[in-house]
Amino acid sequence: MRNRHRSSRYGRYSGGPDPLAPPVDLAEALDAVAENVMSGYSPEQAMREFLRRGGRNQRGLDDLARKVHQRRRDLLRKHRLDGTIQEVKELLEKALREERNQFLRDARMDPMDRQFREMQLDSLPTSPAAAVTELADYDWQSDTARQHYEQIKDLLGREMLDQRFAGMKQALENATDEDRQAVAEMLSDLNDLLDKHARGEDTPEDFEEFMAKHGDQFPENPQDVDELIDALAQRSAAAQRMMRSMTQEQRDELMSLSAQAFGSPELMSQLERLDASLQALRPGEDWTGSEQFDGDQGLGLGDGTGVLQDLADLDSLAEQLSQSYSGSTLSDLDIEALSRQLGDDAAVSARTLAELEKAMQDSGYLRRGTDGDLKLSPRAMRKLGQSLLRDAAGRISGRQGRRDTRLAGAAGEQTGSSRAWEFGDVEPWDVTRTVTNAIGRTAAAGQDPVKGLRIHVQDIEVRETEARTQAAVVLLVDTSYSMALNNRWVPMKRTALALHQLLSTRFRGDRLELITFGRYAQRMDIGELTSLPAWHEQGTNLHHGLLLAGRFFRQHPNMQPVLLVVTDGEPTAHLMTHGEAWFSYPPDRETLTTTVTELDKVTRQGAEITFFRLGDDPGLVRFVQAMAQRAGGRVVAPDPEDLGAAVVGEFLRNRYADPVWDTDWD
């Protein structure tokens, strides 16, 4: 049996997204979206903001939109629409020059005939269209001049066709009479097909028959009659817009010249019939628009129509990139049009953004709520918490000069001894004892441990730990308007997320309560706090916050109470006996008294209390210091960006006498 060899060729991949391209960076997208959510955006708005802005190595929609607008401006500034008229003028001047030269060369020419012809040429109208029309019956003496004049009619025919069928100008260059007849036959058949379609009488076989006969003149390769009509209508509408973009004088010139196309009015009759059919079949196209061109590069009718199509493409892309219409998604982007107008790099950027948008939802980071709006999912909250916790741990390690180590004692404090592993144990292995046991067992069995050592379950020993007291932790965060006004709103939320992640993953036995206090205090879960918008609310009701904290501690009487208070202002509100909040600035005596009274109650519950003071207002400094001294607590005054590290570090200080941290808490 003969072997068959298959040859392979290598080239640039063109079948869609690059299969070797790196995956989209969801981590960067999630961080950006979450940061915007914490700043007050809805998740939907935050996602749109990231897509508009882009990432570190990723162009966003705004950048692509700027390039679209720049290309549109460049097209209008570069071109003018009298290219065909100028080309006709040049050919006409060549024809007249050659004809006059022939008068001089032909010594046998009758002097009276020469004088008459010279007067006829000298008296031609200044309008190229009128001059071409007047010369229609002129008997040219120069063959070269006659050829230039015939080129005018040929040029006009090719330009008129190129307006409706891209590429016709080049395809029909040096065309024969048979070629022109084939075009005339195609136009007639096309108009007949469109008429049948308008009446609802056409069949798929009619389209297939038409394409079998004339398909080589349609490089778009339409698959059915609707695709054919779409392509033709877009081009025809662009041709109409081009005519309306010309001056009245230019339009008049071209309309007069069009009668000379291919030396017969039949072409224009067929094209007018085609335009009318297309406008009736696709009235939604822009048939009436116009543009203002002010460049110095003349465009022929076909090229000008192509530029008008480009402008329509760019307008459509601008709308798609704006994502401002109802139900818009990046899957609406016409990647092919973007590549055609801005190049492959722009198409890759747009495709990557669309993949990011889809991946964010498919990955579970964003999900639709019952109200239809996008929300950060619990998975996204965990991922974000991991990132913020790593950042806090890194800041702690860097600030205190500590070496990164694995967080120990999550299940209790080590005693220094070990014991055999039992099912259900989560304590860390004693590696030295485990390996020693394996070596001893292997040697006792008469085997050489050097040649191969296997650890069996009975070899494993774990480090013994003492039970660790569980903690009931309350994080009280100030949500008065001054927090947002002084750029402390987002750091406050980042702090809550980091602490929530720490307790959720490393201190699962502890309980965390998040309490916000503005005019009133309220309990919140981490999702509510993360998406909490900044509002203009007067009041710092620490009294109400301490009241809710004390209630939480009483619900967990067997846990060590830990209270962490983040605030940037003195108390300016308190709850009255009927439950309404009383506000006063500067703080009145009753507000301070009720707040101190509630602090004393929390202190008597044995709470370890730390105040995190944001700001250097003298009144705030005095108040916080006095409260901490009264409760036997501490005051920490971090920069807002270090708040997360300060709170996490303080929590760990309360949990361990000699704490160690880990920057890999995920």
Side-chain angles (χ1 to χ4, degrees):
M1 182 176 180
R2 188 174 59 183
N3 291 329
R4 294 183 179 180
H5 299 282
R6 298 173 61 187
S7 62
S8 300
R9 291 194 306 168
Y10 296 89
R12 184 176 181 180
Y13 179 74
S14 60
D18 185 355
L20 300 180
V24 293
D25 188 357
L26 285 183
E28 181 187 12
L30 176 61
D31 287 346
V33 168
E35 191 76 12
N36 286 330
V37 167
M38 289 188 288
S39 297
Y41 289 87
S42 71
E44 187 97 38
Q45 293 170 324
M47 186 65 193
R48 294 292 174 214
E49 180 67 21
F50 174 75
L51 294 174
R52 283 198 300 270
R53 188 176 62 247
R56 288 186 297 270
N57 301 309
Q58 171 65 45
R59 284 190 292 182
L61 295 177
D62 284 350
D63 185 54
L64 293 174
R66 279 193 297 272
K67 291 182 180 298
V68 164
H69 291 303
Q70 182 61 50
R71 170 144 173 80
R72 195 181 198 285
R73 286 194 299 269
D74 290 345
L75 287 175
L76 293 174
R77 291 173 179 173
K78 180 179 180 182
H79 300 295
R80 66 176 193 272
L81 299 180
D82 61 349
T84 297
I85 296 174
Q86 294 300 321
E87 202 167 348
V88 168
K89 281 183 179 179
E90 292 173 6
L91 288 171
L92 182 59
E93 289 171 357
K94 288 180 181 179
L96 296 176
R97 186 167 56 250
E98 287 295 331
E99 184 71 359
R100 289 189 173 96
N101 288 339
Q102 183 63 29
F103 295 162
L104 297 175
R105 290 192 298 266
D106 191 352
R108 295 175 298 174
M109 190 175 184
D110 180 66
M112 291 296 293
D113 185 35
R114 179 189 297 116
Q115 185 177 3
F116 176 76
R117 289 178 180 276
E118 286 177 346
M119 289 176 59
Q120 189 177 2
L121 297 183
D122 289 342
S123 63
L124 286 173
T126 56
S127 162
V132 170
T133 301
E134 192 165 317
L135 290 169
D137 297 325
Y138 179 78
D139 181 20
W140 296 90
Q141 298 299 298
S142 167
D143 291 338
T144 303
R146 180 183 296 105
Q147 289 173 4
H148 287 320
Y149 182 77
E150 292 298 326
Q151 284 177 357
I152 291 175
K153 295 188 288 186
D154 183 69
L155 168 68
L156 292 169
R158 290 187 292 122
E159 287 280 20
M160 291 296 176
L161 287 169
D162 202 41
Q163 272 197 300
R164 280 77 175 181
F165 308 94
M168 277 289 192
K169 183 178 180 180
Q170 290 75 27
L172 289 177
E173 192 171 9
N174 301 319
T176 63
D177 290 338
E178 289 77 8
D179 293 331
R180 297 188 186 96
Q181 180 58 38
V183 170
E185 186 177 352
M186 181 272 290
L187 283 173
S188 178
D189 291 347
L190 175 59
N191 280 320
D192 291 343
L193 175 63
L194 296 184
D195 287 345
K196 289 184 69 175
H197 183 74
R199 296 191 303 269
E201 298 173 359
D202 65 315
T203 65
E205 289 73 21
D206 292 330
F207 172 76
E208 292 171 4
E209 181 181 347
F210 175 82
M211 291 301 293
K213 187 176 181 181
H214 305 294
D216 57 338
Q217 300 185 44
F218 296 90
E220 302 91 348
N221 191 28
Q223 299 302 303
D224 55 40
V225 69
D226 285 313
E227 288 189 13
L228 174 65
I229 293 171
D230 287 340
L232 291 173
Q234 291 170 8
R235 185 83 178 175
S236 179
Q240 296 293 328
R241 294 196 301 276
M242 180 183 177
M243 294 298 290
R244 287 182 170 82
S245 301
M246 295 179 177
T247 65
Q248 186 63 47
E249 181 183 0
Q250 290 171 338
R251 280 197 297 272
D252 292 343
E253 287 286 316
L254 283 172
M255 293 306 293
S256 298
L257 285 168
S258 63
Q260 303 297 323
F262 285 154
S264 168
E266 179 63 23
L267 174 64
M268 283 308 300
S269 175
Q270 291 283 8
L271 290 177
E272 288 170 0
R273 180 185 170 194
L274 175 62
D275 288 341
S277 295
L278 292 172
Q279 188 164 356
L281 290 168
R282 293 293 184 271
E285 294 289 339
D286 183 5
W287 297 91
T288 60
S290 64
E291 298 290 348
Q292 184 64 45
F293 289 84
D294 55 6
D296 56 8
Q297 181 174 321
L299 290 171
L301 295 181
D303 291 339
T305 299
V307 168
L308 266 294
Q309 278 193 295
D310 286 341
L311 292 173
D313 267 358
L314 293 167
D315 289 341
S316 179
L317 286 170
E319 182 180 14
Q320 294 164 17
L321 290 168
S322 73
Q323 293 285 286
S324 59
Y325 49 94
S326 177
S328 60
T329 68
L330 291 189
S331 61
D332 300 338
L333 281 179
D334 187 341
I335 301 297
E336 290 184 5
L338 197 63
S339 177
R340 191 166 57 245
Q341 298 299 332
L342 299 184
D344 291 340
D345 288 346
V348 169
S349 294
R351 187 180 290 113
T352 303
L353 288 172
E355 291 172 358
L356 268 171
E357 180 185 50
K358 185 175 185 299
M360 282 290 286
Q361 298 187 41
D362 292 347
S363 66
Y365 289 149
L366 295 176
R367 66 182 184 186
R368 295 281 175 187
T370 55
D371 55 1
D373 292 334
L374 279 179
K375 299 183 185 299
L376 288 176
S377 68
R379 181 183 180 189
M381 301 298 294
R382 289 193 298 272
K383 186 74 174 177
L384 181 60
Q386 291 169 6
S387 174
L388 295 174
L389 188 55
R390 280 195 299 269
D391 178 67
R395 288 174 181 268
I396 293 171
S397 178
R399 187 177 67 239
Q400 300 192 12
R402 294 182 182 271
R403 172 174 60 88
D404 292 345
T405 58
R406 175 68 58 178
L407 178 63
E413 297 302 324
Q414 297 180 14
T415 64
S417 61
S418 64
R419 59 176 175 79
W421 176 85
E422 297 178 358
F423 181 77
D425 284 340
V426 296
E427 289 81 4
W429 285 15
D430 187 323
V431 177
T432 302
R433 296 282 306 194
T434 298
V435 173
T436 300
N437 292 341
I439 292 172
R441 178 184 49 75
T442 301
Q447 301 174 5
D448 187 354
V450 177
K451 293 183 178 181
L453 182 67
R454 292 181 177 274
I455 296 177
H456 291 181
V457 172
Q458 61 266 33
D459 300 328
I460 301 173
E461 292 197 19
V462 295
R463 297 173 181 172
E464 284 191 332
T465 60
E466 294 178 347
R468 177 176 57 81
T469 303
Q470 293 178 324
V473 184
V474 172
L475 178 62
L476 270 175
V477 289
D478 188 343
T479 55
S480 60
Y481 188 66
S482 60
M483 289 285 286
L485 192 63
N486 295 308
N487 298 318
R488 296 159 183 160
W489 194 261
V490 174
M492 173 270 289
K493 292 183 177 182
R494 293 169 66 92
T495 298
L497 271 165
L499 186 62
H500 180 270
Q501 179 67 18
L502 177 63
L503 270 70
S504 299
T505 57
R506 294 294 178 173
F507 297 90
R508 292 186 177 91
D510 291 353
R511 294 292 178 266
L512 174 64
E513 183 85 324
L514 300 174
I515 299 175
T516 64
F517 60 98
R519 177 68 69 96
Y520 292 90
Q522 58 181 319
R523 301 163 59 184
M524 285 192 176
D525 63 36
I526 191 62
E528 290 175 314
L529 180 60
T530 302
S531 59
L532 182 68
W535 56 69
H536 194 285
E537 182 180 57
Q538 289 183 319
T540 306
N541 197 338
L542 179 58
H543 165 247
H544 192 187
L546 291 170
L547 189 150
L548 294 181
R551 186 178 303 167
F552 178 73
F553 292 147
R554 287 192 295 274
Q555 291 170 352
H556 301 85
N558 297 323
M559 293 185 175
Q560 171 62 42
V562 176
L563 178 62
L564 308 170
V565 182
V566 178
T567 185
D568 72 343
E570 302 171 74
T572 56
H574 69 276
L575 282 186
M576 295 186 293
T577 54
H578 52 74
E580 294 294 322
W582 168 266
F583 169 77
S584 174
Y585 184 83
D588 65 16
R589 185 175 185 83
E590 184 178 356
T591 296
L592 295 175
T593 300
T594 55
T595 302
V596 170
T597 300
E598 204 59 45
L599 176 70
D600 290 343
K601 293 179 183 178
V602 172
T603 303
R604 286 195 293 271
Q605 290 178 284
E608 298 176 0
I609 302 174
T610 305
F611 287 89
F612 298 89
R613 173 174 56 80
L614 301 178
D616 298 318
D617 177 74
L620 172 66
V621 172
R622 289 193 300 271
F623 171 78
V624 170
Q625 193 63 44
M627 292 280 278
Q629 290 178 353
R630 186 180 184 93
R634 286 164 43 89
V635 176
V636 179
D639 292 331
E641 290 303 315
D642 281 331
L643 179 61
V647 171
V648 169
E650 189 64 19
F651 167 76
L652 292 173
R653 189 194 68 80
N654 288 331
R655 303 301 286 122
Y656 297 107
D658 184 19
V660 290
W661 295 277
D662 170 29
T663 57
D664 188 26
W665 290 336
D666 53 7

